[in-house]
Amino acid sequence: MVTTHELATQQRAQELYAQAATDHVEYWAERSRTEVHWDTPFTEILDWSNPPFARWFADGTTNACYNAVDRHVAAGNGDRVALYFEGEPGDSQAVTYAELLERVSQTANALESLGIAKGDRVAIYLPMLVEAVVAILACARIGAVHSVVFGGFSAEALRSRIDDAEAKVVITADGSYRRGKPNMLKPIVDEALTQDGHTVEHVLVVRRNGEDITWVEGRDAWFDDVVDAQPTTHEIVWHEAEHPLFILYTSGTTGTPKGILHTTGGYLTQVTATARDTFDLQPETDVFWCTADVGWVTGHSYIVYGPMSNGATQVIYEGTPDAPHRGRWWEIVEKYGVTTLYTAPTAIRAAMKWGRDIADRYDLSSLRLLGSVGEAINPEAWYWYREVIGNNNGAGTVNEDGSVTPGPRKTDPVPIADTWWQTETGAHILTPLPALTAEQLKPGSAQRAVPGVAIDVVDEDGNTMQDTSQGFLVIREPWPAMARTIWGDDQRFVDTYWSRFNGMYFAGDGARFDEDGDIWLLGRVDDVMNVSGHRLSTTEIESALVAHPLVAEAAVVGAADETTGQAIYAFVILTEESDGVAGEKAEATLREHVASHIGPIAKPRRILVTSDLPKTRSGKIMRRLLKDAAEGKTQADATALATLADPAVMEEILNGMRG
Ligand code: ATP
Ligand code: MG
């Protein structure tokens, strides 16, 4: 059954697709004029005279902070909650747009009082606190370029990012809480700055967990001391559309991190428009929760700039999903009446592994739309996400034996937006808009380009694929939120993204069309396997494995092999219900399962059962380490190891491969 609201959404989406199809450049100009507040309206739309260095709306002036905060207060919505902060220990805070404006203004004044001027770089190394959002917006307000470094990174990683951007200030915290224990940050900043030769003049420290920290006189100051002393108003200054907004380093799955540079007007246009379209965002009534950390692009675009520019009410949460218990996320959804949840497949698979009994205890009936990002979502996880989380229409009952009988279900299944995009693209590129009916959605496929983006799947020579076999995902025309360059390295920008296919942006991902012209992502091209002349996708084999009841998570790689070219190796984590199934038996069962699911050619040579997989701090599987292990390397590459959330997992895997 299609509700009236869905109908309105569908009609709107059809209009957007139609407008964009006529003239995508004019389409973005029109979106920008309606969704973004410009002080000086632009007259130039796109300057592509020096590709691949795009300029969008270049003669206009605006301010990203004004769009995210001031304009909502000016429109009379100052009392609306901007952020519900939920701390891991259970403390919480509701901050309205009016309060946020005062705090951001004070922080902008504070930065200026420390000598930070337009164009200077500020490193932000914070946990998920209100101050992280405040610091980002204060930088945007004065035109300082923020470089947020995820709070899980090491001193070395932090230092290399500080040096690369030549940051003058670091904004950090004493520490935060992680699984009930203090998780310290300030000592890491101290360590990063031990060696001279850096550009940092001031370190501002947010007081969060109150643990003892050491202090460098003259350099360090408490954030509150400096900020509280400032006036609560700050006169807005306008920035050119192409003024740099932020630098953000990619997560490093495929090589050394690249400092991706985004600028103001085009980025703001596309994140504002896509936040609204993809999530059908209704700022007056929605409670939006994107579970990403602000240290990743998802946090930049779909916590700070996109939703806030729309005046949305959001939840931010400091801790992990299992602290103090595995129902914490669902408890938060229930507590705040979250309507829209945007998370990553890795989190869904973890929740699946813990079992649905946990989520079923909670009332998740407020949810009306779900989103996924970061990697392809396996169909198995997609169905689970929709049925267990999305279709929950009330808390279940806990039985005497501790099991849970699920509560009522919804009559209409909630849509899932599987969004494909990258740090480099700045905003959503592929996603089925919720305009699609439940029947039209395809679990595991990001389906189609957002209006105004010219996506294609091409062959080796850059020609559009004529069949449904595997090709390369490219973007043929510039889009507003595209990266402008790699900070300080224009040549690397050209080499990395623009040289593989003439005049097209190459994302690095493999993809294919299906019979309807919808797009399926197949993993990084570096990960695509060639077995006896057959091109096989890591993503597809992984999805087949995850679809088996024994498997919670799977990673597949191709290892060099003299006879077949490449041989398939799979690494799997078993589900908790699989207790007692011996490794060998599981391996045999799963090999047959893949053979019957995809074909005998896809049968992994070896399946190693492991307790964990090597994941980056953003939750992505680092396949290159697994490939090394499959190829017989007995030691893991040190630089790759350093980017893992838990480097110890590789020991078990290397041991397992030897056995
Ligand atoms: P690096 O570029 O340093 O290796 P990274 O690519 O992991 O790091 P991000 O920009 O955060 O850094 O991630 C973008 C990548 O994530 C995409 O190129 C794609 O491989 C994957 N990805 C993101 N969303 C999806 C999705 N919905 N479906 C499939 N893959 C996705
Ligand atoms: Mg990448």
Side-chain angles (χ1 to χ4, degrees):
M1 209 186 71
V2 178
T3 62
T4 328
H5 175 68
E6 270 179 88
L7 261 183
T9 315
Q10 282 169 24
Q11 193 184 348
R12 181 159 183 280
Q14 295 320 325
E15 282 165 16
L16 295 178
Y17 284 125
Q19 285 162 16
T22 330
D23 180 346
H24 82 281
V25 174
E26 184 47 46
Y27 165 80
W28 283 119
E30 193 45 39
R31 287 306 294 267
S32 192
R33 288 182 203 112
T34 48
E35 315 254 354
V36 171
H37 173 91
W38 292 90
D39 182 56
T40 312
F42 56 87
T43 61
E44 296 160 19
I45 306 174
L46 167 66
D47 175 0
W48 191 233
S49 58
N50 179 29
F53 304 99
R55 294 168 62 78
W56 281 88
F57 316 125
D59 63 345
T61 62
T62 183
N63 184 303
C65 175
Y66 181 89
N67 277 275
V69 187
D70 303 46
R71 65 163 158 167
H72 310 309
V73 179
N77 294 319
D79 290 341
R80 185 184 297 162
V81 172
L83 299 171
Y84 285 114
F85 166 76
E86 178 82 7
E88 194 186 87
D91 56 321
S92 60
Q93 208 183 327
V95 186
T96 64
Y97 274 99
E99 290 165 343
L100 198 63
L101 177 57
E102 292 196 351
R103 201 58 181 163
V104 168
S105 299
Q106 285 184 306
T107 308
N109 287 323
L111 288 172
E112 285 178 339
S113 78
L114 295 174
I116 300 303
K118 182 169 177 171
D120 287 344
R121 273 81 60 203
V122 173
I124 298 176
Y125 185 66
L126 279 172
M128 279 303 285
L129 303 176
V130 171
E131 284 82 356
V133 176
V134 167
I136 286 173
L137 291 170
C139 288
R141 190 174 190 88
I142 65 173
V145 184
H146 56 79
S147 166
V148 183
V149 180
F150 174 57
F153 275 122
S154 66
E156 200 185 331
L158 173 62
R159 174 63 184 263
S160 70
R161 287 159 175 78
I162 288 172
D163 286 352
D164 189 60
E166 298 175 279
K168 275 178 133 174
V169 172
V170 180
I171 305 179
T172 188
D174 46 4
S176 64
Y177 299 94
R178 203 170 168 81
R179 300 204 170 87
K181 298 199 188 74
N183 177 43
M184 301 308 290
L185 292 180
K186 173 66 164 57
I188 297 177
V189 176
D190 291 338
E191 193 188 331
L193 300 181
T194 316
Q195 294 245 334
D196 286 346
H198 60 74
T199 45
V200 175
E201 293 164 15
H202 303 280
V203 175
L204 292 180
V205 186
V206 173
R207 197 192 306 266
R208 171 60 182 152
N209 67 11
E211 296 290 318
D212 285 343
I213 50 175
T214 53
W215 208 249
V216 175
E217 284 307 323
R219 185 197 73 183
D220 299 349
W222 289 108
F223 182 87
D224 281 352
D225 288 351
V226 180
V227 172
D228 288 351
Q230 300 294 328
T232 54
T233 56
H234 175 274
E235 199 177 331
I236 198 78
V237 276
W238 303 102
H239 305 299
E240 317 76 66
E242 284 298 336
H243 181 65
L245 183 61
F246 65 85
I247 302 167
L248 182 62
Y249 294 82
T250 60
S251 61
T253 334
T254 53
T256 44
K258 302 167 273 279
I260 300 299
L261 179 72
H262 283 287
T263 58
T264 307
Y267 172 81
L268 195 63
T269 298
Q270 198 173 339
V271 296
T272 307
T274 51
R276 178 152 135 69
D277 302 345
T278 305
F279 304 115
D280 177 35
L281 198 57
Q282 311 286 325
E284 300 80 18
T285 48
D286 275 340
V287 178
F288 185 81
W289 184 19
C290 166
T291 66
D293 190 278
V294 279
W296 308 120
V297 73
T298 306
H300 283 61
S301 301
Y302 297 104
I303 296 176
V304 182
Y305 292 112
M308 295 193 70
S309 177
N310 280 283
T313 296
Q314 298 185 84
V315 171
I316 58 172
Y317 170 53
E318 176 186 32
T320 59
D322 55 354
H325 57 81
R326 287 174 167 185
R328 186 67 189 273
W329 273 20
W330 318 123
E331 191 177 77
I332 293 172
V333 169
E334 186 179 278
K335 173 172 175 185
Y336 294 103
V338 172
T339 58
T340 317
L341 180 70
Y342 189 33
T343 192
T346 179
I348 304 300
R349 289 192 303 264
M352 278 172 80
K353 190 167 96 177
W354 298 338
R356 69 174 291 171
D357 275 9
I358 293 171
D360 280 341
R361 285 164 197 261
Y362 298 90
D363 178 356
L364 311 179
S365 57
S366 55
L367 287 169
R368 66 178 189 88
L369 204 141
L370 303 174
S372 174
V373 62
E375 48 182 330
I377 180 164
N378 320 101
E380 189 73 7
W382 193 98
Y383 281 114
W384 192 95
Y385 191 22
R386 188 171 78 177
E387 177 50 28
V388 179
I389 307 305
N391 287 348
N392 173 317
N393 208 24
T397 34
V398 183
N399 305 313
E400 266 173 25
D401 64 355
S403 64
V404 181
T405 306
R409 300 287 102 187
K410 288 179 176 154
T411 30
D412 294 322
V414 295
I416 298 180
D418 176 4
T419 60
W420 179 92
W421 60 295
Q422 308 174 300
T423 311
E424 297 88 340
T425 69
H428 294 162
I429 295 295
L430 286 169
T431 177
L433 296 187
L436 297 190
T437 62
E439 298 77 53
Q440 289 171 314
L441 290 173
K442 293 179 183 169
S445 166
Q447 290 183 264
R448 52 186 77 167
V450 300
V453 175
I455 205 86
D456 204 356
V457 181
V458 300
D459 64 17
E460 296 277 347
D461 303 320
N463 303 312
T464 302
M465 294 294 295
Q466 298 301 320
D467 57 25
T468 58
S469 57
Q470 171 149 356
F472 305 89
L473 189 73
V474 297
I475 308 178
R476 286 188 177 274
E477 303 287 342
W479 64 101
M482 66 195 280
R484 296 304 193 257
T485 190
I486 292 176
W487 181 254
D489 201 345
D490 286 351
Q491 192 55 44
R492 190 174 176 204
F493 182 65
V494 175
D495 294 345
T496 311
Y497 306 109
W498 300 91
S499 53
R500 177 69 182 78
F501 299 105
N502 197 10
M504 294 180 232
Y505 172 82
F506 175 46
D509 286 3
R512 66 175 185 84
F513 289 119
D514 66 14
E515 291 77 9
D516 307 323
D518 283 326
I519 292 173
W520 294 72
L521 271 301
L522 299 173
R524 325 268 173 147
V525 287
D526 306 343
D527 297 335
V528 167
M529 301 174 294
N530 193 326
V531 182
S532 306
H534 299 268
R535 287 159 69 73
L536 293 168
S537 138
T538 48
T539 302
E540 279 179 335
I541 302 178
E542 285 164 8
S543 287
L545 285 165
V546 173
H548 195 281
L550 277 178
V551 179
E553 284 217 62
V556 167
V557 297
D561 181 272
E562 280 174 11
T563 46
T564 55
Q566 276 185 320
I568 303 170
Y569 284 77
F571 300 82
V572 300
I573 305 176
L574 299 184
T575 46
E576 301 198 338
E577 301 87 79
S578 72
D579 259 8
V581 179
E584 260 169 51
K585 178 137 181 287
E587 175 162 359
T589 312
L590 294 174
R591 291 183 75 230
E592 283 318 312
H593 170 76
V594 172
S596 67
H597 229 76
I598 299 182
I601 185 77
K603 210 192 246 186
R605 167 162 307 166
R606 178 132 189 238
I607 297 180
L608 184 78
V609 174
T610 170
S611 63
D612 208 351
L613 291 167
K615 287 192 189 147
T616 61
R617 291 179 175 83
S618 57
K620 295 183 189 197
I621 297 165
M622 177 80 91
R623 288 185 187 71
R624 103 188 130 88
L625 282 171
L626 294 173
K627 192 176 158 92
D628 288 350
E631 288 177 348
K633 290 223 177 89
T634 50
Q635 274 223 305
D637 173 66
T639 38
L641 264 192
T643 69
L644 294 186
D646 175 14
V649 304
M650 278 314 293
E651 269 169 53
E652 181 193 343
I653 290 173
L654 290 168
N655 275 333
M657 290 308 291
R658 262 178 241 134

